Amino acid sequence: MLNNIIDRIKLPFRKDKELYLALRDIIGFIPHEIAYYKLALMHKSVGHRGPINPKVSDTSRYNKAEAKANKKKGKKGNGNHATMRKLNNERLEFLGDAILDAVVGDIVYCHFPGKPEGFLTNTRSKLVQRETLGKLAQEVGLSRLILSSGRSASHNSYMAGNAFEALVGAIYLDRGYDACMKFMQQRILGKYINIDKVAYKEVNFKSKLIEWTQKNKVELSFALKEQTKDNSGSPVFVYSVMLENVEGATGKGFSKKESQQLACKDTLKRLHSDPVFVDSIFNAKTERTRMEEQPINIAPDPEAKAQDFILTANADDDTTDIQTEKPQEVKATEAISSLEKAIDAEMDLSDITAKPREMTKEEIVAAAEDAAFESEENQ
């Protein structure tokens, strides 16, 4: 409390009065140690090597230890126990990122009682993602205060998000954890962000695309098309979404995650608006599954193989030719033989007898008389 009063009294006489006032409008209080905030606003594109006063550096304990190590090694300092290294906001960015996770996690935990761990983690990640922090830096006016070279204009949103994290790190070193909590609750979440809307808004396009591919059993992969650096030396990645080896949308970003998210977002839009694209994906899937499910040739008979090398006892007999005769030829021979037998049977006349000639009336009478005469003689 006393420090706040002293800072207000000293404000009209400060050398960087305008910076103090601008920071007060953003963070809600007058900075006590302005060196932290100057470092937080210094992008690496304008960073330079210079002496660091351990009393006001972003990591005073580290620099004090480094000064002692240099003294033991016989290295000369600059008279005020300062060390030389490149000045930029990357170290404060690292610290601010960790503090933001803790502060926002605390706020989300208290705001959503009873919600599961997955929901809380997803909500926190939406609030602290680089895109959100970049927009917040622009809304609060922080991006106007960043010191950078004109070449990094294309990297502005990425740079602004880093500066916001570095600002939180500066607040932590200057005033402590409670000041960071108050800054996020009253100056940021209370004015610029609706936690409930953010929590239930789907922004993880990669996760959404993965869910769609799993439901439809479509193969998904990411192809790195290009990896370069922009004018300020920051890495740039270009990724494409591949669905069943059909190329979807392409995303360009300053990290692999960012470029893949952008590619997934545009791919989802294309899936909703381009039926030809959807048909090509499922046609490729059908072709893949057809090739995978195509049956192979019928398996060979193991017994047939065994007959190739088994020798019979009568292998040299003439019956071998008969056994190797084709089934069609055997049937034809049998048919011819049976036909010949049938013909011979029809031409056999051995059982045929001559038919008796019919007798005339005179011959019948004569035969009757002869029979009567023979009967009388026998009596």
Side-chain angles (χ1 to χ4, degrees), residues 56-227:
V56 298
S57 67
D58 59 326
T59 51
S60 59
R61 286 176 294 178
Y62 169 80
N63 288 295
K64 286 178 180 178
E66 187 177 13
K68 290 180 181 179
N70 290 339
K71 187 176 180 180
K72 288 182 180 180
K73 293 178 182 178
K75 295 182 180 180
K76 295 182 180 181
N78 60 357
N80 60 348
H81 303 290
T83 58
M84 301 288 292
R85 68 173 176 82
K86 191 172 181 178
L87 300 176
N88 57 54
N89 62 0
E90 289 182 340
R91 290 171 58 82
L92 277 176
E93 176 193 340
F94 164 78
L95 179 61
D97 181 46
I99 300 301
L100 263 178
D101 278 346
V103 170
V104 175
D106 191 349
I107 295 173
V108 171
Y109 179 85
C110 296
H111 189 82
F112 296 103
K115 289 293 184 180
E117 181 267 345
F119 175 87
L120 300 178
T121 301
N122 192 29
T123 302
R124 182 185 62 184
S125 65
K126 293 176 186 178
L127 292 172
V128 300
Q129 66 180 349
R130 197 60 51 86
E131 183 180 357
T132 302
L133 299 180
K135 291 180 179 179
L136 287 173
Q138 303 227 348
E139 288 292 332
V140 300
L142 182 64
S143 57
R144 296 184 292 103
L145 305 177
I146 300 174
L147 300 176
S148 65
S149 65
R151 294 177 302 171
S152 12
S154 62
H155 211 45
N156 197 26
S157 61
Y158 191 71
M159 181 176 60
N162 292 344
F164 189 92
E165 290 180 339
L167 176 65
V168 174
I171 295 173
Y172 174 75
L173 293 175
D174 187 29
R175 296 295 183 96
Y177 180 85
D178 291 339
C180 295
M181 176 67 73
K182 186 177 180 180
F183 166 68
M184 290 300 298
Q185 282 183 322
Q186 298 181 5
R187 310 292 298 186
I188 301 300
L189 299 180
K191 294 179 64 175
Y192 298 101
I193 295 180
N194 187 323
I195 300 180
D196 296 301
K197 287 185 178 181
V198 171
Y200 295 100
K201 180 181 179 182
E202 181 58 60
V203 295
N204 193 340
F205 301 107
K206 184 176 179 180
S207 175
K208 201 166 187 177
L209 182 60
I210 291 175
E211 182 181 355
W212 181 86
T213 56
Q214 289 177 346
K215 286 182 179 179
N216 293 277
K217 297 181 179 180
V218 172
E219 289 187 347
L220 168 66
S221 61
F222 295 92
L224 177 62
K225 294 295 184 180
E226 187 180 1
Q227 182 175 351

Side-chain angles (χ1 to χ4, degrees), residues 195-360:
I195 300 180
D196 296 301
K197 287 185 178 181
V198 171
Y200 295 100
K201 180 181 179 182
E202 181 58 60
V203 295
N204 193 340
F205 301 107
K206 184 176 179 180
S207 175
K208 201 166 187 177
L209 182 60
I210 291 175
E211 182 181 355
W212 181 86
T213 56
Q214 289 177 346
K215 286 182 179 179
N216 293 277
K217 297 181 179 180
V218 172
E219 289 187 347
L220 168 66
S221 61
F222 295 92
L224 177 62
K225 294 295 184 180
E226 187 180 1
Q227 182 175 351
T228 58
K229 290 186 178 181
D230 63 1
N231 294 331
S232 63
S234 300
V236 178
F237 301 89
V238 179
Y239 271 90
S240 289
V241 173
M242 305 298 295
L243 299 171
E244 293 289 347
N245 290 326
V246 177
E247 186 171 355
T250 301
K252 181 178 181 180
F254 298 104
S255 66
K256 294 180 180 180
K257 181 178 179 181
E258 182 182 1
S259 58
Q260 290 179 3
Q261 281 282 351
L262 294 174
C264 291
K265 179 180 179 180
D266 292 339
T267 301
L268 287 171
K269 289 181 179 179
R270 192 175 176 188
L271 287 171
H272 278 281
S273 60
D274 190 351
V276 177
F277 174 59
V278 177
D279 290 340
S280 64
I281 293 172
F282 283 99
N283 289 338
K285 174 192 171 184
T286 302
E287 182 65 19
R288 173 180 60 82
T289 54
R290 185 184 69 81
M291 295 296 293
E292 290 177 354
E293 296 174 359
Q294 186 174 4
I296 60 173
N297 294 331
I298 300 174
D301 184 5
E303 298 298 331
K305 268 194 172 182
Q307 293 177 359
D308 293 340
F309 56 83
I310 295 178
L311 298 177
T312 59
N314 299 324
D316 297 331
D317 293 347
D318 294 337
T319 55
T320 305
D321 296 336
I322 298 176
Q323 293 176 356
T324 58
E325 187 179 9
K326 295 182 180 180
Q328 291 85 350
E329 295 177 355
V330 173
K331 290 183 179 179
T333 303
E334 292 177 355
I336 293 172
S337 177
S338 61
L339 180 60
E340 290 176 349
K341 290 179 181 179
I343 293 174
D344 292 340
E346 290 181 1
M347 297 301 293
D348 187 8
L349 305 179
S350 60
D351 58 341
I352 298 178
T353 56
K355 185 179 180 181
R357 185 175 59 85
E358 294 183 358
M359 299 174 64
T360 63

